[in-house]
Each structure stands twice: as structure tokens, then as C-alpha cells.
Amino acid sequence: MRWALLAASVAAAAITANVAFAQEVKREPASQQGASEESGGVTPVAALRTTAPPNAAANRTYETPDAALLEADVDYLVREGHRAVSRNDQDGLWYAAAFADDLAAGRYTEARNVLRDAPGGLNGAFADMFEPFLIAAEGNVNRAVERVDSGGDNLPAPLPEVARALLFEAAGRLPEAAAVYALMIERLDTTPPGDAEPQTSEEFDRMLGAARTSHAVYRAALVSHRLGRTEEARRYYTIVRGYEPRSIAVNANLARLNAGQPPFEQPLTAVSATGRWMLFLSEFLTQAETLTALVAQRDPAQGYASTSGSVMLQIGSLLATDSDDWRLYAAQQTLDAGGINGAQRIIDQIPATSPYAPDAEIVRASIQIERGNDADAAAAADRALAIAGDRWAIIASVGDVYRRIGHPDRAIPAFDRALTLTQDGKDRADVLGWRAYAHRFSGNLAAATADMRAAYEADPSVDTRLLYVTILMDDPAAWNDGIAMARSLFAEQPDSVMRLNALGYALIQRPQGLEEGYRLLWRGFNYGQTDYAVIDSLGWAYYLYGHFDQARALIERANDLSANDPNSEILDHLGDVYWRLNRRDDARATWRRALEARPDAIRRRDIEQKIARGLTAPAPRQQQLPQVSLPEGPAQRDDL
């Protein structure tokens, strides 16, 4: 299977996080200020009710917390959290929801009761993370900072330093916050990760810490900005820009810094600081749980990668009311997990005056595409274009929306406009890559190839070269060049599943490359048995060798692994396999599903013909499979 636009991989590694809670503590019932007889518990504060479904019944229920998160129903999570705490449920998720509500409502006694009765009690990991913010809200910042110090071993750097600085920020003690941040940055490796997969422990650590580091340094920049320390603020913003070159927040605040204006974000309060802290925790928890799943080679499941991380993200973005960048992330995460309505309610919290308003329109367009409302998606893209200004990335995103809904006549001019606004080589390569993908999607292979050649000249990064292979493998006049590029990528990192798949799948597009491609794909499968792309590629190689039962086992598994985001290419392959196995009804049903997954123009025409007439070309002749020698064999094919 070909790699999607600007695909990236994450290497797996074992990490330990002391975020589990074990000790049970009996709870004395807390007072129920603001209790509602109808709801049977505390009515959540207004900030935590804003994303609840409209006209939702007070007695509504969900089968799982994830189901409530998919609806962005934090109001429900808080209500159920208070009930769970009352019955001594030991799931930390409920305690986080109840604690956030009590703290935001100023019910400090109740908030401390939640911490006391949480798994581990006041000396446990949960209280280590949250009690400092409660102490600060009660007015004792010095003791709050001491409390961070007493529990700091539970979290990796720079999170303890971030917690201390947030506490000082919320109290208005900005010089002390700045001092904490300055010491933090001295100790941090602020070198951004490279664009290739990490090959050393140092590179891997940089990749793992990138988001955490950039977010922490951004907070330092805001504090220096507020203090009028212009050069220091500019230096910190520049560090963040190294991680996030297109950050609208950095660009907006640098402009305000140059104009002598304060940052556009509001100063922290006790509540918003707690929200910001939960956002930092959400990133850490999501990463920890994702890596654990990768190390265990667990199959991807429908829904969130981390329930606890998603709870922190949604609650944190509501408490920190100006965290529109995180709100965008929460909406996209929820949409990717299948929560269309929840994503809509989250994104609707971003006001039209926000610097992120154009980004919100792009997410709205994606929501409408998922709903099948292409006209509404186009309208959202039009709104984004109208307010994009000179933000070329938004304009290019608009072009990609037009591509996805089948309007190349509108997509290409958007990319053309974006190109006029780019100077940096990597930026130009990205836009040219998007335009190449749009050309390929509409069936114009020659134009796609020309754009990718220009993109490579502008920026020969790994991402650009991977897309180069993807585009050129389909152009008969450029296949050899695509293979040469894939070989160079593979030579740089021969144990990369991504690069093995790129070369192997490109090779099997032509008969002369089938044997070599098959051997490479077996090697890639040996490294990535939960990677649906390489599994589909290997399955297709079996198909081309005429071994249809083995092809079916592999491609069905690839289809299962990609269930969160149905893939037209995998479904097309699976339909062909079913046809060869004389499962004609299954084949046509699968091809119809491939059409629903919005294939490119060439594949669409091919699939439509197959639905109408079936496969008319002769079946691949069964050939003896090449012998594959691997240092460690993967699971038996029968186990798939």
C-alpha cells in the first residue's frame, strides 16, 4: 500500500510512568453544594457544561467514558465523576473530573476530599499532580511550590518545572515564574528532532520530548513577554519556532512583541493554570499509553489512543478558556476517533476573533466531509480562504479540502495562490507536494510528477522523498526514477518499515520488480506486524504471485487495522482477492465500500468498471514463492 501524503512513523520504546493508582481509601461523603435533585449530584460549573449535547436529559447514560468523550460531554463526566467518588470507585478518570469541577467552583474542601479519597490518597501520584494547584487556589503559593517538589519524581522533566512556573504565573509572580523557566531551559535539550526516524537514543528522546519541550518554552516566552523582557522573549519564541515553524501563536505574539503589545493570551488564574497543567498532562499520558500499545504490538482500536489523556485534554481546554490551539487538537482527535458530533461542539468553542479561526474552519470542513455534506465542507473551506490572509498553510489546506470533495478545478488554484506566498524551500516543497497529490488524485500523472520533481529540488527532506516515491511509482514514464529514490531512502535506513514498504510496494508495481519487492515486504512485515500499510503491500504481492488465500488473510488483516479510517486502496485490493476466490458478491460489496472511501480518479474509474463487469483481466498465474530468510520470523501466516 502506498504511503499517504507526508507520512511519518513513530518508533516504539518502553517507558515507565508512575501514573497508576493502587491504594484504596474510604471516603466520607463531601457536601453537595449546588446539588440538583434531578441529577443526583453536583451541577458542574458553567465552563464544564459548554460542550454538552443540547437539550440532553439529566439522566442520560453512556456505556463507557470514551462514549461520553466522543460526544464531548464533559458535563456528564463531571456528574458521573462526583457519583463515582461517592461510591469509592477507584478509576482515576472520575476523580480528575470531580476535582476539576470542585476547584473551578471554589469548593476547596470538597476538592481536597476528592484528592484524599483518590487512589493513593494525599500521598499518591494523583494528589502529587493536582494538590499543588489546589493549595495555590487557596492562596498559599509558596506551599504549593513545595508540594510540587515533594511529588516531582512522578513526572518526567520538564513537567515539575512547568508546574512550579504555572503556579507562580497564576499568582501574578511573573519574575519568579521567569526564573523557574530560565533554569528549566538551561537544562533542556532544545534541539528540535530531525525529519527522519530516530536511530539513536538521543534522537528518540528528542522526538518523545518535542511537544512537551516546545509547549514549556512557549510558556517561558509568554512570561518574558509580559515582563517586557523583549530579547529574552524573542529568543524563546525563536526556539519554539524551531519545533513549530508555522505556529500562528508564535507569529502573532512576535508581531505583538515588536509592537510593544502584550501576548494575545490572557494572564493565568488559579483555574486556567489548572487547565493548562491538565493540557500538559494530557500530552504526557497520551504519549505514554500510545508507546505502551506500540511496544506490546497491540492492534489499533476504534476510539481514543488514551482515555485518560483525552479526559485531561477536554477538561483542560475548557478550564483554560483561551487554549484554542489545544481545542483544535481536541476536535481533530475526537473526529479521528469517530466522534463527529463531539468534534463539532468542541470546534464551535473557538470564537471568530481567535487567531485560530481559519484553522477551525478547516476542521469544520473535515467534519462535514465525514458527514457526507460536501457542499457544507466547501462552504467551510470558502470561509477559511476568506480569512486566511497570507497564511499559505491555511490556503493549501483549503486546496486539500477541495481535492477531497472532488473539485480539482478549485484545488489547483488554491495551491497556486499558496505558492505565491512561500519563500522557504521546505514550505514550497510542501505546497508542491500537496498540489502533486491533487494532480494525481484527478488522474493527471504527468503534472503530479512535474510538481514532485520541483518539490525535491526545493527541499530533499525525507518527507518530500517519500511522497516523491508515492507519486512517481504510478507514472510509467517516471517509475525508474521513483525506484531510484526509494532505494536511496532504504539505503539510509534499511530497518525502517516505512522505507521498506515504500521501496517494496513501488517495486511490485512492475513484473520485473516483483521478486525483490516481495522479499523486502516480508522483511518490513517482520518488523511491523501491526502496520496496515506493509501488511496490505505484502498481501498484494501474494496476489500478484497468484496465492489468493494468503493474500486474503493479509489484506483482511490490513483492512481490520485500518478500520478507523477506511482505505480505498486496501478495499480495492480485497475486492480483487474475493473475486479471484469466486466470492463475487463479497467482491462487489467491498468495491462499493472502496468507492465510499473516496478513491482517486483513476482508481474510481477502475472500481466502477469492476462493479459493473467484474475482473475481466486473466488472474495472476500462480508461481512458486521466493524463499525468504529472516533473522526472526514473524507470526505464522495461519495465525493472521
Side-chain angles (χ1 to χ4, degrees):
M1 177 192 169
R2 74 193 68 250
W3 284 93
L5 181 65
L6 303 181
S9 70
V10 177
I15 63 171
T16 57
N18 187 14
V19 293
F21 315 119
Q23 182 184 354
E24 292 192 6
V25 181
K26 186 176 179 181
R27 178 176 195 271
E28 296 298 327
S31 66
Q32 297 284 301
Q33 293 184 26
S36 164
E37 184 176 345
E38 182 183 24
S39 68
V42 173
T43 300
V45 295
L48 300 179
R49 298 199 303 269
T50 53
T51 56
N55 305 315
N59 61 349
R60 63 193 180 281
T61 60
Y62 298 92
E63 290 187 3
T64 63
D66 273 38
L69 285 168
L70 290 172
E71 293 295 320
D73 196 349
V74 174
D75 172 66
Y76 168 84
L77 291 173
V78 170
R79 291 169 186 267
E80 288 303 304
H82 286 295
R83 293 188 178 106
V85 170
S86 296
R87 64 175 180 265
N88 201 28
D89 189 320
Q90 289 297 287
D91 189 336
L93 178 156
W94 301 121
Y95 289 82
F99 172 80
D101 179 53
D102 283 336
L103 181 121
R107 296 188 295 264
Y108 300 146
T109 299
E110 285 77 2
R112 180 156 279 101
N113 285 340
V114 171
L115 295 179
R116 180 177 295 111
D117 298 345
L122 287 176
N123 295 317
F126 188 89
D128 286 347
M129 288 189 289
F130 290 110
E131 190 179 21
F133 290 85
L134 172 59
I135 296 170
E138 293 170 329
N140 197 333
V141 177
N142 290 336
R143 193 161 68 85
V145 172
E146 292 171 0
R147 181 65 179 88
V148 173
D149 295 336
S150 69
D153 290 341
N154 287 319
L155 296 169
L159 292 182
E161 290 90 346
V162 169
R164 295 185 195 97
L166 289 174
L167 294 168
F168 284 131
E169 277 194 73
R173 293 163 60 173
L174 298 187
E176 289 158 290
V180 173
Y181 282 131
L183 184 59
M184 173 195 77
I185 293 171
E186 278 184 24
R187 296 170 176 170
L188 280 177
D189 177 1
T190 56
T191 305
D195 62 348
E197 300 116 298
Q199 299 186 65
T200 66
S201 60
E202 183 180 54
E203 290 174 351
F204 188 68
D205 287 343
R206 284 175 182 158
M207 183 197 71
L208 288 182
R212 208 169 304 137
T213 298
S214 64
H215 296 157
V217 177
Y218 183 71
R219 293 304 316 173
L222 292 178
V223 169
S224 293
H225 189 161
R226 293 191 199 284
L227 287 169
R229 300 176 182 178
T230 304
E231 292 309 311
E232 189 175 75
R234 183 172 288 109
R235 181 168 71 88
Y236 293 158
Y237 283 133
T238 301
I239 292 173
V240 178
R241 183 176 268 173
Y243 288 85
E244 306 172 44
R246 301 163 193 166
S247 169
I248 184 59
V250 168
N251 293 337
N253 277 332
L254 276 172
R256 295 178 70 87
L257 183 70
N258 293 334
Q261 300 171 338
F264 68 83
E265 294 96 339
Q266 295 298 311
L268 291 184
T269 65
V271 172
S272 64
T274 306
R276 289 283 175 182
W277 177 237
M278 294 181 84
L279 295 175
F280 273 95
L281 292 177
S282 76
E283 185 273 335
F284 167 65
L285 292 170
T286 299
Q287 183 184 85
E289 292 184 31
T290 300
L291 288 172
T292 298
L294 284 170
V295 170
Q297 293 196 344
R298 291 200 295 266
D299 289 354
Q302 177 72 34
Y304 293 102
S306 165
T307 299
S308 55
S310 299
V311 167
M312 296 288 185
L313 175 61
Q314 290 197 24
I315 295 177
S317 62
L318 291 175
L319 295 182
T321 56
D322 60 353
S323 58
D324 289 338
D325 49 347
W326 291 89
R327 202 162 280 117
L328 279 168
Y329 173 57
Q332 189 63 58
Q333 182 195 76
T334 300
L335 181 62
D336 292 343
I340 297 176
N341 294 330
Q344 182 77 61
R345 282 191 284 276
I346 293 170
I347 209 67
D348 285 346
Q349 300 301 305
I350 297 180
T353 55
S354 170
Y356 296 96
D359 309 76
E361 294 295 352
I362 296 298
V363 177
R364 287 191 181 95
S366 294
I367 290 170
Q368 295 304 331
I369 289 173
E370 289 298 315
R371 287 175 170 159
N373 298 334
D374 287 0
D376 289 341
D382 292 345
R383 292 193 298 271
L385 194 61
I387 59 177
D390 61 356
R391 290 184 61 192
W392 65 264
I394 291 293
I395 297 167
S397 296
V398 168
D400 199 53
V401 170
Y402 292 149
R403 174 198 65 79
R404 292 167 65 192
I405 62 177
H407 288 290
D409 56 318
R410 302 181 70 184
I412 301 303
F415 294 128
D416 293 345
R417 176 179 162 189
L419 273 175
T420 67
L421 298 170
T422 58
Q423 300 296 326
D424 178 77
K426 182 168 178 53
D427 293 345
R428 292 189 63 78
D430 284 353
V431 178
L432 286 163
W434 281 18
R435 193 172 73 179
Y437 198 72
H439 280 310
R440 191 214 169 280
F441 203 81
S442 64
N444 190 342
L445 298 182
T449 295
D451 270 348
M452 278 317 305
R453 293 190 192 281
Y456 175 66
E457 289 298 320
D459 173 54
S461 66
V462 171
D463 285 342
T464 302
R465 288 185 288 154
L466 283 167
L467 186 58
Y468 187 100
V469 175
T470 295
I471 297 297
L472 270 64
M473 78 166 71
D474 289 325
D475 186 348
W479 181 77
N480 286 325
D481 287 347
I483 293 297
M485 184 66 74
R487 289 192 190 283
S488 71
L489 283 161
F490 173 66
E492 293 170 2
Q493 212 164 327
D495 58 351
S496 161
V497 175
M498 185 191 316
R499 297 175 194 221
L500 282 161
N501 181 64
L503 177 55
Y505 192 66
L507 282 165
I508 68 174
Q509 303 305 306
R510 299 289 183 272
Q512 62 267 37
L514 180 56
E515 180 176 342
E516 182 186 2
Y518 172 86
R519 294 179 188 277
L520 287 167
L521 292 170
W522 248 110
R523 181 174 171 180
F525 175 61
N526 190 61
Y527 294 151
Q529 294 179 34
T530 60
D531 187 310
Y532 68 78
V534 76
I535 294 171
D536 173 70
S537 297
L538 180 60
W540 192 240
Y542 271 104
Y543 174 89
L544 295 173
Y545 269 109
H547 291 255
F548 303 131
D549 281 319
Q550 291 96 327
R552 177 198 56 76
L554 285 160
I555 299 175
E556 283 183 342
R557 174 159 171 76
N559 187 49
D560 290 342
L561 290 170
S562 63
N564 284 358
D565 185 18
N567 184 283
S568 62
E569 190 164 12
I570 294 176
L571 290 165
D572 186 18
H573 287 169
L574 188 57
D576 287 9
V577 171
Y578 285 153
W579 186 271
R580 299 305 184 193
L581 292 171
N582 292 314
R583 294 171 56 176
R584 304 296 169 84
D585 290 343
D586 289 340
R588 285 194 165 93
T590 304
W591 287 326
R592 291 189 184 97
R593 288 168 56 206
L595 285 181
E596 292 171 0
R598 297 178 181 266
D600 59 63
I602 296 173
R603 189 174 298 277
R604 174 173 288 279
R605 287 194 297 269
D606 187 44
I607 293 172
E608 288 171 344
Q609 290 175 1
K610 288 188 286 193
I611 291 173
R613 299 195 295 270
L615 286 173
T616 56
R621 178 178 58 85
Q622 187 172 105
Q623 306 173 59
Q624 183 175 353
L625 294 166
Q627 291 295 312
V628 179
S629 178
L630 295 169
E632 292 185 21
Q636 295 296 312
R637 289 193 296 277
D638 292 344
D639 296 337
L640 295 173

